[in-house]
Amino acid sequence: MNTVLSLSEVYQTPQKSACAYKIKDWIDGNTFFTKQQLIWNIGITNGQNLSEIESTIRHDMTCKHWRYWPNESFKDAMETIRTLTKLPNVIKSPHNDYSSKGIYVFVYKTLIPENSRLFHTLHG
């Protein structure tokens, strides 16, 4: 029995994560285009570290929004991060924890750090 595959079956593009659409809708609903110099930060963590990261971020006085979403797997969470970091106002969080291979994607909005290249580009 011969099996014939079309090129579209062989080279399937990765499916966009449903979680990425939910997060993008939430970001779009909470973004106000003013000169507040705020940026969205996004990262991955596991359930054990989630509350510690949330506590750290919420104690920061410049944090405006915080939310997290569970994904099906670490691979899905990475796809969500890859999709959302293509947006112009989203960067990876310094609290990212890839090594734990968690499934939770967290997002928060805060001031652009003064030591970042983005800050110097906007204020240069």
Side-chain angles (χ1 to χ4, degrees):
M1 178 178 196
N2 291 337
T3 304
V4 178
L5 298 174
S6 69
L7 281 177
S8 64
E9 292 170 340
V10 174
Y11 296 108
Q12 289 183 348
T13 58
Q15 295 292 324
K16 298 254 181 174
S17 170
C19 186
Y21 289 120
K22 291 177 190 175
I23 296 172
K24 184 180 179 317
D25 287 344
W26 184 76
I27 287 174
D28 290 344
N30 289 300
T31 299
F32 306 103
F33 294 101
T34 62
K35 296 189 180 197
Q36 295 176 354
Q37 305 301 327
L38 298 172
I39 191 102
W40 290 99
N41 290 270
I42 188 167
I44 296 175
T45 191
N46 59 16
Q48 297 159 343
N49 296 337
L50 186 62
S51 60
E52 181 181 324
I53 292 172
E54 181 177 7
S55 175
T56 302
I57 292 169
R58 286 190 182 265
H59 280 85
D60 181 8
M61 296 302 288
T62 62
C63 179
K64 303 297 180 193
H65 297 285
W66 161 268
R67 193 160 174 198
Y68 66 91
W69 290 262
N71 282 263
E72 295 293 321
S73 66
F74 176 69
K75 184 178 177 183
D76 288 345
M78 286 299 295
E79 180 63 27
T80 299
I81 293 284
R82 189 182 70 76
T83 301
L84 293 173
T85 53
K86 291 179 182 177
L87 296 174
N89 57 344
V90 177
I91 61 173
K92 289 182 185 172
S93 170
H95 301 288
N96 232 347
D97 186 16
Y98 295 122
S99 62
S100 69
K101 297 200 179 210
I103 63 166
Y104 292 96
V105 173
F106 61 88
V107 179
Y108 60 97
K109 184 164 60 169
T110 188
L111 290 173
I112 299 170
E114 290 185 19
N115 59 352
S116 72
R117 290 185 198 168
L118 182 60
F119 181 85
H120 293 297
T121 301
L122 293 173
H123 294 91

